[in-house]
Amino acid sequence: MLLSTVSLLLTSAVPSMVLLLVSLIRTPEWISGSGTLQTWRRTSVLAAATGFATAALFGVLVLVTHTMAILPVAVLTSISASLLGFVSVQSGWTDFRFRKADRWVLRTALLISALSSGIYMLAYRSETDLWLWLLIVLVSLVVFLIPAVGKSDARVITLVCLASLPVTGLWVFQFGFLLVAALSIIYSMSTTPKGSSIKDTLTRKVSVPMVPLIAAPFTLLCVVPVFM
């Protein structure tokens, strides 16, 4: 049990550290030219720490509440929570302030998640589950073709399909998007100018920072295996 826990903690640290290195090495131009480089670095370190802490907590909880046979689930839970936790915190600053998210962080997270979830689905899930997961991921890629959806938003939608669905299962996964919708509505309502009519509130255009509002709920849903 001790060896498994130590291995799990090490596994939990890797995804966040990789994303942190990508953030520091490939700092976006819109960060470098905005005078917020130090804040970017501190936020990235905080994101890495949050990703690791969330991943370690969820993964260890899975091990504590289940037998050793569920170790692969604990590992995947840690990796997914680490990736989504990092993206949630980092984009929670960049998307609210600049309405942007680091595309290289999202690309790297997509690659890591595709590898980890793909291996898990091939090795431990049924062929039906594998094909369902692949179908949903392919459907999520269609979002890239919708002009009204930003590339970062499309990337994070695909990321949650890759990372979260194998962990939560389809039934719980659906509720993640209900949480996203609820958070979006709350944000839109909270930014409505005082004294606005109902018509103005419903018809006005609102720029919503969707990347953290999508990533954060699915990060929390990664704890689902603890209760399975």
Side-chain angles (χ1 to χ4, degrees):
M1 179 66 179
L2 178 60
L3 180 60
S4 299
T5 303
V6 172
S7 300
L8 184 62
L9 291 174
L10 292 175
T11 303
S12 303
V14 172
S16 291
M17 289 304 300
V18 171
L19 295 186
L20 176 60
L21 289 174
V22 171
S23 298
L24 299 179
I25 294 172
R26 298 192 65 99
T27 301
E29 293 181 1
W30 44 271
I31 288 291
S32 302
S34 66
T36 59
L37 185 58
Q38 291 303 317
T39 304
W40 163 260
R41 290 172 176 169
R42 288 194 293 268
T43 302
S44 297
V45 171
L46 176 61
T50 302
F52 167 69
T54 305
L57 175 62
F58 288 2
V60 171
L61 283 175
V62 173
L63 283 183
V64 170
T65 55
H66 295 76
T67 65
M68 290 301 298
I70 206 169
L71 180 60
V73 177
V75 171
L76 183 63
T77 298
S78 294
I79 294 174
S80 296
S82 182
L83 295 172
L84 293 173
F86 186 101
V87 171
S88 298
V89 173
Q90 188 187 72
S91 65
W93 175 62
T94 62
D95 210 4
F96 273 89
R97 177 160 183 173
F98 300 101
R99 288 299 186 270
K100 293 182 178 180
D102 186 352
R103 67 177 183 273
W104 282 104
V105 164
L106 290 173
R107 287 171 177 172
T108 305
L110 283 168
L111 177 60
I112 296 173
S113 185
L115 289 173
S116 58
S117 294
I119 292 172
Y120 171 79
M121 295 298 290
L122 279 169
Y124 299 103
R125 299 296 288 269
S126 67
E127 186 175 346
T128 301
D129 290 339
L130 172 62
W131 283 110
L132 178 61
W133 174 67
L134 289 174
L135 177 61
I136 292 174
V137 171
L138 288 174
V139 170
S140 73
L141 294 176
V142 176
V143 180
F144 282 91
L145 303 177
I146 303 176
V149 179
K151 296 298 184 183
S152 293
D153 298 344
R155 290 187 185 104
V156 78
I157 289 172
T158 301
L159 177 61
V160 298
C161 292
L162 283 169
S164 183
L165 180 56
V167 173
T168 64
L170 181 60
W171 191 82
V172 175
F173 181 76
Q174 299 173 78
F175 286 94
F177 284 103
L178 291 178
L179 289 173
V180 172
L183 289 174
S184 301
I185 293 171
I186 292 172
Y187 176 83
S188 299
M189 297 295 291
S190 65
T191 57
T192 302
K194 291 183 178 180
S196 298
S197 65
I198 296 177
K199 181 181 178 180
D200 291 337
T201 300
L202 295 176
T203 58
R204 76 187 186 97
K205 293 183 178 180
V206 182
S207 177
V208 181
M210 289 305 302
V211 176
L213 295 186
I214 293 173
F218 284 97
T219 304
L220 297 177
L221 287 180
C222 285
V223 78
V224 165
V226 175
F227 306 102
M228 293 172 61

